[in-house]
Amino acid sequence: MSEHRPLLSGDKLNLERVNFLLVDDNLQALDIIGQAVSAFGVRNIFKCQSAKEAKEIIKRTALDFALIDGEMPVENGYDLVRWIRREASEPNRFVPVVVVTGHTPLSRVMQGRDCGAHFTVAKPVTPKVLLERIFWVARDERNFVESDNYVGPDRRFKRLGPPAGIDGRRKDDARGQIGLASEPNLSQEEINSLMKPAKVAL
Amino acid sequence: MTEARLFRVSNRLKMLIHAGGGLTVRDAVARADKAVEASFPAALGSIDATLVELEASYGASAPADAPRDPRRLYLLSTQIIDVALCLQGSGIDDGARQLCDLADHCAEHGVWDREAIAVHIQALFLLRHTGLEMGADHRRRMLRGLRQVTAKCIAATAGSASATG
């Protein structure tokens, strides 16, 4: 994943042609977020109050971003995202999705991650946070993963590599031998001099 | 281990937002902040209505034999969080999240702590009406108090579970 620089106030974003899907069973929440998105310059906003309504839009409109409430009655947002990742036709199958949720215990954040969303954001969402997330997702370069039990952006954010001496399983992981020292090891005397406590003059 | 396929997908959003023109971040956020304010009166009305329903159904003034519905309690709490932008800084969203924690616990363990729930609802009323004027320390203490109330309820559940073994 590329290094993300923070969004700067002078940065310019053009959201006019973005097809933006908003899904929330709470009409007022939908209205508030819709006002913010419209003020950002988005002209094509598709507002839905249920997963069922959202699916109708998804089947007929190519989307560029989806903001989906996690907790909805009948069919929740997490199941909707899973449906998008498995059943929707391209390009909507890979549409950037941010899940929003009011209650954020770890279990729900992980639900958001594991359903195939790009990110989870806590409600209430401020315009500033929303715009930052749109920008963040736009720059997201993670691969997509498709397997029996998960479809979505690669959930592995950290690229720490395998433990030293062990070959990684990813084809672009460094070989285990590269984990060895690239400069001379310190002698014991050098180590001792680093460890020796010394008084500091204040 | 399942086979996993890794592949790149094109990011049309990235291409669109950097197409030139558009708004600066500063202007976009300023416009959006102003635009959402138009929704605040209705949002406040919604919070007030939800608080009245919470008190009537689950608060201290609710009838003793009122139905116990943790799922509905949870839903009402999330409704407050959904539109709490209109009271940003009051702490009401944090208070409502505490009530969600308590409702979740009640649903998961089949318990019902009427007093703990009533205390949370009372706190939400306070945060709605005085949260913005309240000092940050006072607000923090109140929210810490709510966490302690929930922790006590959880401990009581754990205690009775181990007693019945």
Side-chain angles (χ1 to χ4, degrees):
Chain A
M1 187 171 149
S2 62
E3 286 299 313
H4 283 173
R5 68 165 179 80
L7 192 58
L8 303 173
S9 58
D11 284 337
K12 267 201 159 187
L13 301 172
N14 188 340
L15 295 168
E16 284 174 17
R17 289 169 51 213
V18 170
N19 287 341
F20 204 111
L21 176 69
L22 280 177
V23 190
D24 198 318
D25 63 304
N26 184 322
L27 191 57
Q28 275 172 344
L30 203 59
D31 184 46
I32 291 173
I33 297 182
Q35 299 273 15
V37 170
S38 178
F40 290 159
V42 177
R43 292 187 190 160
N44 307 317
I45 305 173
F46 301 91
K47 291 194 214 174
C48 303
Q49 275 191 273
S50 69
K52 187 176 174 194
E53 274 181 43
K55 284 176 181 176
E56 290 309 310
I57 300 290
I58 291 164
K59 282 173 190 168
R60 60 170 198 261
T61 308
L63 299 164
D64 303 303
F65 190 90
L67 191 73
I68 298 175
D69 180 24
E71 299 289 327
M72 293 191 294
V74 185
E75 184 174 356
N76 66 40
Y78 307 109
D79 287 339
L80 174 59
V81 177
R82 261 187 285 272
W83 177 88
I84 290 171
R85 295 297 183 226
R86 292 204 181 268
E87 311 282 344
S89 46
E90 295 182 27
N92 285 345
R93 250 187 99 208
F94 311 125
V95 65
V97 175
V98 169
V99 164
V100 284
T101 177
H103 187 215
T104 52
L106 183 60
S107 58
R108 285 210 168 69
V109 174
M110 288 177 64
Q111 252 189 306
R113 181 198 66 174
D114 294 340
C115 72
H118 282 70
F119 212 84
T120 297
V121 174
K123 284 181 173 182
V125 188
T126 63
K128 180 172 178 286
V129 165
L130 179 56
L131 194 60
E132 279 170 354
R133 285 300 145 216
I134 293 170
F135 190 53
W136 188 94
V137 166
R139 289 179 301 170
D140 191 353
E141 290 177 353
R142 285 178 288 168
N143 286 325
F144 246 68
V145 175
E146 188 172 35
S147 71
D148 287 347
N149 52 17
Y150 176 75
V151 181
D154 193 342
R155 292 173 287 186
R156 298 169 296 181
F157 273 91
K158 293 183 184 176
R159 295 184 64 86
L160 298 174
I166 295 173
D167 291 343
R169 291 183 294 175
R170 301 180 213 183
K171 70 171 189 288
D172 54 347
D173 273 338
R175 308 303 294 166
Q177 291 85 335
I178 294 175
L180 296 173
S182 58
E183 49 190 77
N185 288 321
L186 295 177
S187 68
Q188 189 57 52
E189 275 177 21
E190 283 167 331
I191 293 170
N192 291 346
S193 70
L194 286 173
M195 305 290 279
K196 189 174 164 187
K199 276 190 183 176
V200 174
L202 294 171
Chain B
M1 196 162 68
T2 58
E3 290 281 323
R5 189 168 78 94
L6 259 73
F7 52 95
R8 282 263 180 238
V9 299
S10 60
N11 192 335
R12 200 177 108 97
L13 180 67
K14 181 178 181 177
M15 181 199 74
L16 287 173
I17 67 173
H18 293 305
L23 299 169
T24 61
V25 168
R26 185 189 306 114
D27 288 346
V29 171
R31 277 173 49 151
D33 280 341
K34 198 163 163 80
V36 300
E37 280 173 19
S39 309
F40 283 2
L44 274 171
S46 163
I47 288 176
D48 288 337
T50 305
L51 286 174
V52 165
E53 185 176 345
L54 276 168
E55 178 59 32
S57 303
Y58 310 112
S61 54
D65 59 351
R68 301 171 174 193
D69 190 345
R71 184 73 196 134
R72 177 97 189 125
L73 178 63
Y74 183 91
L75 196 65
L76 290 172
S77 309
T78 61
Q79 279 178 10
I80 292 174
I81 301 168
D82 278 356
V83 297
L85 191 61
C86 61
L87 287 169
Q88 196 180 4
S90 70
I92 196 170
D93 51 325
D94 288 325
R97 265 187 283 276
Q98 304 283 354
L99 187 50
C100 284
D101 284 343
L102 184 56
D104 249 358
H105 173 76
C106 292
E108 206 177 322
H109 296 277
V111 298
W112 189 258
D113 190 330
R114 191 193 149 101
E115 269 182 43
I117 292 166
V119 162
H120 277 74
I121 294 170
Q122 197 177 26
L124 289 178
F125 270 102
L126 266 173
L127 290 166
R128 156 62 179 109
H129 293 287
T130 61
L132 289 173
E133 289 80 35
M134 216 183 263
D137 277 348
H138 184 174
R139 206 164 34 242
R140 260 195 299 272
R141 277 199 304 273
M142 185 186 279
L143 293 169
R144 191 165 55 236
L146 291 180
R147 273 194 294 278
Q148 285 166 350
V149 166
T150 302
K152 204 170 153 191
C153 177
I154 292 171
T157 306
S160 62
S162 61
T164 55

